[in-house]
Amino acid sequence: MSHQLRVVGVVALLTLREASRRRVVLALVGLTLLLLALSGWGFWRLAQELTSGEALVAASQVLNLVMFGLSLVAALGTAFLSGPTLSGETESGAVLSVLARPVRRWAWLLGKWLGLVVFGGVYVVLAGLALCLVVLATVGYWPPDPVAGLLLLAGQTAVLLTLSVLLATVVSPMASGVVSVGLFGAAWIAGVVGGVGSALGNEGVARVGTVSRVVLPTDGLWRGAMHAFQDPSALVAMGPSAEAFPFLSVSSPTPAYLVWSALWVAMVFGLAAAVVARKDL
């Protein structure tokens, strides 16, 4: 068992090195810098046009909007990175030289997954922290709980990446990326619809968001991150209609939901490992 754990660590490090060399990293860096530059200009304009109190409340809401853009960049990057990273060694036959040794397939896949999760998590935490510093420098606003917000964004990235890894074991790399990002968007839209239903008191419509957050936890974790980034006074200003606003969250995720998200990742990864174990490489 200790040998397999060492294999996981070695494969994770190699995956990190391989991922950092791919061109998608340059695209991620370029998009992130562009997003930071545009958001910095936008927040500076907020500070110029509004009073200090108004600017702080508005900044907390716009911060969630820009953070969603950041999470979308992370979703695109990780989804389209996981497929080629997994399939590259499989299609070239390089994985056969690794698995010919006493290396279990699950250990190889776990190392790949762990390397990608660390890569995606570090990216979203650093980019999100940079965005918070931009807002602090331009408007003077600092989120109530940035650590929890950034960790939840990293968790969202891990959930989407795990789904992408599963899809990459059964379909082409491009298809796995497209489907992963499509499901990410669909879950977010379902969450918005559910929020509108809650604000209107329509339990049937509200259940759409609840079910989607159970089936794919990305939106539930995202809403928890929004709650950590936003100013509490924004909820008071919006009143009962706050749930209908797509970039406000009325509550943080419960411990039970966080446990479910972790179990979801474990189950989906276990399914991916089962597919790889039976796959003809």
Side-chain angles (χ1 to χ4, degrees):
M1 187 65 179
S2 60
H3 172 71
Q4 299 302 323
L5 293 178
R6 286 196 297 270
V7 170
V8 171
V10 171
V11 173
L13 290 174
L14 292 175
T15 302
L16 273 172
R17 184 184 304 175
E18 178 187 0
S20 63
R21 293 175 178 174
R22 289 188 175 273
R23 292 183 179 179
V24 69
V25 176
L26 295 178
L28 278 174
V29 172
L31 287 172
T32 303
L33 292 177
L34 179 61
L35 184 65
L36 291 175
L38 291 175
S39 61
W41 177 80
F43 284 113
W44 177 77
R45 291 299 302 170
L46 278 179
Q48 299 298 313
E49 298 293 336
L50 302 176
T51 65
S52 59
E54 292 173 338
L56 289 177
V57 175
S60 72
Q61 299 177 50
V62 178
L63 175 60
N64 280 342
L65 170 62
V66 183
M67 279 292 184
F68 179 75
L70 177 64
S71 69
L72 182 59
V73 171
L76 288 168
T78 54
F80 285 98
L81 183 65
S82 58
T85 301
L86 284 172
S87 63
E89 293 184 7
T90 303
E91 294 176 354
S92 65
V95 67
L96 297 177
S97 62
V98 176
L99 296 179
R101 298 180 176 86
V103 175
R104 300 292 179 88
R105 292 189 180 190
W106 66 263
W108 171 79
L109 184 65
L110 181 58
K112 287 286 185 182
W113 175 85
L114 183 60
L116 291 170
V117 166
V118 170
F119 177 85
V122 169
Y123 162 76
V124 78
V125 167
L126 291 180
L129 179 60
L131 179 57
C132 290
L133 291 174
V134 166
V135 178
L136 178 64
T138 53
V139 185
Y141 175 75
W142 186 250
D145 196 355
V147 174
L150 293 174
L151 289 177
L152 287 169
L153 281 182
Q156 178 196 50
T157 303
V159 167
L160 186 63
L161 198 148
T162 307
L163 174 63
S164 183
V165 166
L166 171 61
L167 293 173
T169 62
V170 293
V171 297
S172 67
M174 181 61 70
S176 67
V178 171
V179 174
S180 297
V181 175
L183 291 175
F184 170 82
W188 179 75
I189 292 173
V192 173
V193 172
V196 172
S198 296
L200 297 177
N202 189 319
E203 294 185 3
V205 177
R207 197 173 297 116
V208 172
T210 303
V211 172
S212 70
R213 286 190 284 273
V214 172
V215 174
L216 181 59
T218 52
D219 185 63
L221 295 174
W222 158 244
R223 291 185 172 275
M226 283 198 299
H227 191 267
F229 291 131
Q230 72 196 17
D231 190 318
S233 62
L235 293 176
V236 178
M238 292 294 292
S241 62
E243 288 189 85
F245 190 66
F247 298 109
L248 281 178
S249 176
V250 297
S251 62
S252 57
T254 63
Y257 186 79
L258 295 177
V259 171
W260 163 248
S261 299
L263 287 174
W264 189 95
V265 169
M267 290 188 297
V268 172
F269 176 82
L271 183 57
V275 173
V276 170
R278 292 168 173 77
K279 191 172 183 179
D280 184 11
L281 301 176

